[in-house]
């Protein structure tokens, strides 16, 4: 006869045995979420955990999103049914890996590309958790990641390589052609012809050098290794210097309007990098815009409310279409007029942000494009 009533009660002692009191374990309060506990649904990658029998006991929100399988349909089922993965050659991944029945010295599987039903690619890695070395698998932990970000990176790299190859081919072909011609037929050309060929070779060499510099800048920006050597910078003088260079190159003086609001706050920045930003923005305005190119320099506030300097470069051309403004600072954006590598504005944005500033694009009052970048002012902290 059972003496304890209700479901889950403890059975009575064996017949004839003396009754003894059994202490129940103290009920523990549920752990409080103090903000330090990491839950499976907090993870950015898919997490699937199977128990010692291969049944899924954890299936987080990212895994449900990546596999398009509801969590309730995954929990309790065999992991090979929940994740019917195949490799790129069509082999069933679980038969190849066999985490529960394979070699006992294995501790997991490195990340690799696998296919879900329907041909969807997913990056999968696994960890075999054992109570002791070479013991049976107690828990199988599988990580899932989508391939969209990697594909975007691969496409970006492929586009960069294709652009570089195209941009290098033209000047190098010219350099090779002119130098080979001069070496083979030096005596047949006049001094003026030789000078023209050598000037062309020199210009093409400069073009290759600029391209290599852009590639190095992109590499440093993407890896966060762009070095900024801060010095006092006179922004008004830098603007004047770039305007004079354009006038010396044959552009009419009336093409440029300069507006400087004084006094300007002290600015510490990398002079060479600032010259690169100004040069790119002015060249774009002159080449792709129309009418007067206006350069304004004025005190401004940064996004954090600190004191800063703002530089605005605008023109009176057709401007940039609204639908294209979100892509202006991306790689390879060239607008409606082809020409150049399309990397300049991407580098400009990287340089400005490396200084702690920000850059925006919009439409000028005259209807053309307007670029405005703001740099924080003041002496660097290490000199304060």
């Amino acid at each position: 006869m059972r003496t304890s009533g209700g479901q889950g009660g403890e059975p009575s002692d064996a017949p004839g045995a003396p009754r003894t009191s059994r202490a129940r374990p103290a009920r523990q309060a549920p752990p409080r979420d103090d903000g330090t506990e990491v839950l499976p649904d907090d993870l950015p990658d898919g997490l699937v955990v199977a128990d010692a029998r291969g049944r899924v006991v954890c299936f987080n929100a990212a895994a449900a999103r990546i596999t398009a399988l509801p969590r309730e349909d995954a929990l309790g089922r065999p992991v090979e049914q929940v994740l019917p993965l195949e490799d790129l050659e069509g082999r069933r991944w679980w038969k190849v890996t066999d985490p529960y029945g394979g070699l006992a010295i294995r501790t997991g599987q490195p990340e690799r590309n696998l296919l879900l039903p329907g041909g969807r690619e997913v990056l999968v890695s696994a960890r075999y958790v054992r109570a002791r070395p070479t013991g049976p698998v107690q828990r199988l932990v599988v990580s899932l990641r989508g391939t969209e970000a990697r594909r975007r990176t691969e496409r970006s790299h492929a586009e960069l390589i294709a652009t570089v190859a195209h941009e290098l081919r033209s000047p190098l072909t010219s350099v090779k052609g002119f130098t080979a011609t001069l070496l083979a037929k030096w005596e047949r050309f006049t001094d003026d012809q030789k000078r023209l060929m050598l000037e062309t070779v020199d210009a093409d060499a400069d073009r290759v050098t600029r391209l290599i510099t852009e590639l190095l800048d992109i590499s440093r920006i993407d890896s966060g290794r762009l070095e900024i050597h801060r010095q006092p910078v006179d922004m008004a003088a830098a603007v004047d210097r770039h305007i004079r260079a354009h006038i010396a190159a044959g552009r009419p003086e009336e093409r440029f309007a300069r507006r400087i609001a004084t006094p300007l706050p002290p600015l510490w920045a990398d002079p060479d990098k600032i010259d690169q930003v100004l040069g790119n923005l002015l060249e774009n305005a002159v080449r792709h815009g129309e009418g007067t190119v206006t350069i304004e320099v004025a005190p401004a506030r940064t996004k954090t409310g600190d004191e800063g300097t703002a530089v605005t470069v605008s023109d009176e051309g057709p401007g940039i279409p609204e639908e294209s403004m979100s892509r202006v600072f991306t790689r390879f954006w060239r607008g409606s007029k082809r020409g150049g590598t399309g990397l300049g504005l991407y580098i400009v944005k990287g340089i400005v942000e490396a200084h702690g500033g920000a850059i925006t694009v919009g439409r000028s009052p005259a209807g053309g494009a307007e670029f405005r970048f703001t740099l924080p002012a003041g002496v660097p902290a290490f000199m304060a």
Side-chain angles (χ1 to χ4, degrees):
M1 178 179 179
R2 296 177 69 88
T3 58
S4 61
Q7 184 177 0
E10 294 183 358
S12 63
D13 295 320
R19 294 181 59 85
T20 58
S21 61
R22 295 181 181 178
R24 294 178 180 269
R27 185 182 297 275
Q28 295 182 351
R32 291 180 298 175
D33 185 5
D34 58 358
T36 60
E37 184 180 4
V38 178
L39 302 176
D41 286 348
D42 296 335
L43 300 175
D45 296 336
L47 175 66
V48 181
V49 181
D51 61 14
R53 298 181 303 144
R55 302 278 175 172
V56 174
V57 295
C58 177
F59 197 77
N60 72 348
R65 173 179 53 80
I66 293 170
T67 62
L69 182 68
R71 189 197 314 258
E72 56 271 17
D73 292 347
L75 294 176
R77 292 175 57 196
V79 66
E80 64 268 16
Q81 294 180 13
V82 174
L83 299 175
L85 298 164
E86 296 182 353
D87 63 19
L88 300 182
E89 297 177 359
R91 295 174 298 185
R92 300 297 297 270
W93 191 60
W94 295 111
K95 289 185 178 180
V96 175
T97 58
D98 193 11
Y100 293 95
L103 291 175
I105 60 173
R106 288 181 178 172
T107 59
Q109 291 289 335
E111 186 177 72
R112 60 180 300 182
N113 253 7
L114 295 174
L115 300 176
L116 287 168
R120 288 173 297 160
E121 287 192 22
V122 63
L123 297 169
V124 182
S125 58
R127 174 77 174 174
Y128 307 158
V129 181
R130 307 177 189 271
R132 65 181 188 279
T134 72
V137 173
Q138 299 286 317
R139 195 163 59 252
L140 173 66
V141 182
V142 181
S143 173
L144 306 174
R145 290 198 300 139
T147 60
E148 294 83 3
R150 177 174 290 189
R151 285 188 173 277
R152 286 195 297 269
T153 301
E154 290 174 350
R155 283 197 300 269
S156 178
H157 288 167
E159 290 174 355
L160 181 60
I161 291 171
T163 300
V164 170
H166 174 75
E167 293 295 326
L168 284 175
R169 183 184 296 115
S170 177
L172 289 179
T173 299
S174 172
V175 169
K176 178 63 177 175
F178 279 122
T179 53
T181 301
L182 286 172
L183 288 172
K185 304 176 182 179
W186 178 266
E187 297 82 3
R188 300 186 184 182
F189 296 107
T190 65
D191 289 344
D192 290 340
Q193 290 173 327
K194 293 174 183 176
R195 176 178 294 277
L196 177 61
M197 291 183 185
L198 291 174
E199 287 175 349
T200 304
V201 169
D202 184 64
D204 286 336
D206 287 341
R207 182 177 166 188
V208 172
T209 301
R210 285 195 300 270
L211 178 59
I212 293 173
T213 301
E214 287 181 346
L215 295 176
L216 291 173
D217 286 339
I218 287 177
S219 174
R220 295 184 182 114
I221 290 170
D222 289 346
S223 62
R225 295 185 294 106
L226 186 66
E227 296 183 356
I228 302 298
H229 303 284
R230 295 183 184 271
Q231 302 176 28
V233 173
D234 187 338
M235 188 63 78
V239 169
D240 287 341
R241 186 170 60 253
H242 280 274
I243 292 176
R244 288 197 302 270
H246 279 277
I247 295 172
R251 295 187 172 99
E253 185 174 353
E254 59 271 15
R255 181 82 193 273
F256 303 94
R258 169 187 174 278
R259 300 173 185 170
I260 308 294
T262 55
L264 293 172
L267 177 64
W268 282 69
D270 189 317
D272 293 335
K273 298 291 190 296
I274 296 304
D275 276 344
Q276 192 173 350
V277 171
L278 288 174
N280 191 290
L281 295 180
L282 274 174
E283 183 66 26
N284 280 347
V286 170
R287 180 180 298 178
H288 303 293
E290 297 174 2
T292 302
V293 175
T294 303
I295 306 96
E296 300 181 48
V297 183
R301 292 288 174 181
T302 64
K303 288 183 177 181
T304 58
D306 297 325
E307 190 179 29
T309 298
V311 180
T312 305
V313 180
S314 60
D315 62 75
E316 299 175 347
I320 300 170
E322 292 290 338
E323 62 271 15
S324 298
M325 286 190 179
S326 61
R327 298 185 287 109
V328 164
F329 297 109
T330 60
R331 291 182 182 181
F332 312 118
W333 185 86
R334 296 186 178 91
S336 58
K337 296 181 180 179
R338 306 293 290 181
T341 61
L343 301 174
L345 290 176
Y346 178 84
I347 295 172
V348 163
K349 182 174 183 288
I351 292 174
V352 170
E353 291 179 348
H355 280 82
I359 185 168
T360 59
V361 61
R363 189 170 294 278
S364 71
E370 179 179 280
F371 289 88
R372 184 177 190 267
F373 68 92
T374 306
L375 300 176
V379 178
F382 69 88
M383 295 190 64

